[in-house]
Amino acid sequence: MRKIILMMSVSLDGFFEGPDRQIDWHLVDDELHRHFNDQLRTMGAFLHGRFTYELMAEFWPTADADPSITAPMAEFAGIWREMPKIVYSRTLKRADWNTTIVRDVVVDEVMALKSQPGGDLALGGADLAATFMERDLIDENRVYIHPVLIGRGRPLFPTSDARTTLRLAETRAFGNGVVLLRYERAGAPSPG
């Protein structure tokens, strides 16, 4: 069965974005971008919320036509454009670039999607991630901790009374100071 994998960057103090949705503190250099590309090209689909999809669709479909972008960015443009995308939105009217719109996160539908053949499913967008967390649908968290304190903003993990036990599966430090912490659900099978 495919896994749902949340991949998010956070500040050292736990925020995924600043108070005005800023992410200009992300330290994505070529090494980290190549890592993202290596991880994401094997996925079976991107699961986005409306806001994340609109941000991505505004830039990535034609980004590789810009001669000033880096090679890893140009490579990601192709990955994003070709990858099937599912956008969860009650308001989005239409979407391009190999995208399907789904109106609600329905557990049975997500489980059916997970049971289909193909690569794992990359979950992006904090609001959508919170909904998936509430419904206990996330199998793995890949948290990229950036060496910056931003003081305030939106925390990645919303306050909850639910307890989820995780198992550390991997750590990795990048040259720019970003650290990956990869956690799987406790009891989830390790890749073989």
Side-chain angles (χ1 to χ4, degrees):
M1 181 167 291
R2 303 195 287 184
K3 294 189 294 187
I4 294 178
I5 299 173
L6 173 63
M7 294 178 66
M8 290 289 282
S9 290
V10 299
S11 62
L12 183 58
D13 47 354
F15 301 107
F16 72 90
E17 67 182 11
D20 295 318
R21 299 195 110 151
Q22 313 93 306
I23 59 169
D24 57 348
W25 48 268
H26 286 193
L27 301 172
V28 182
D29 61 5
D30 284 354
E31 177 194 18
L32 185 56
H33 214 298
R34 279 191 298 273
H35 166 80
F36 289 152
N37 291 350
D38 290 344
Q39 299 298 303
L40 294 170
R41 83 166 45 86
T42 66
M43 297 292 171
F46 293 140
L47 309 179
H48 290 319
R50 181 195 53 82
F51 183 77
T52 299
Y53 171 77
E54 287 176 339
L55 280 177
M56 301 294 277
E58 186 177 301
F59 181 75
W60 290 110
T62 59
D64 52 354
D66 181 348
S68 69
I69 69 167
T70 66
M73 289 176 72
E75 181 183 17
F76 180 73
I79 293 168
W80 188 86
R81 196 171 41 241
E82 299 303 318
M83 183 70 62
K85 289 165 278 302
I86 298 171
V87 177
Y88 289 87
S89 172
R90 293 185 182 114
T91 59
L92 193 64
K93 301 293 184 219
R94 68 181 292 276
D96 296 315
W97 310 108
N98 201 15
T99 303
T100 302
I101 299 171
V102 175
R103 296 296 175 205
D104 289 300
V105 177
V106 177
V107 172
D108 289 342
E109 291 174 6
V110 173
M111 296 307 288
L113 182 63
K114 287 177 62 171
S115 71
Q116 294 175 6
D120 292 331
L121 306 166
L123 176 62
D127 293 333
L128 183 61
T131 301
F132 272 66
M133 284 179 214
E134 288 170 6
R135 290 166 173 77
D136 197 27
L137 292 169
I138 298 174
D139 300 298
E140 184 176 309
N141 292 279
R142 295 180 188 175
V143 180
Y144 294 84
I145 301 174
H146 292 246
V148 61
L149 301 170
I150 64 172
R152 58 192 182 96
R154 290 184 62 199
L156 174 57
F157 298 105
T159 303
S160 171
D161 292 332
R163 181 180 189 154
T164 303
T165 303
L166 304 171
R167 182 182 66 79
L168 182 63
E170 177 186 6
T171 62
R172 178 175 173 183
F174 296 89
N176 63 4
V178 172
V179 174
L180 163 63
L181 299 176
R182 183 168 69 89
Y183 288 97
E184 296 175 337
R185 293 168 68 97
S190 297

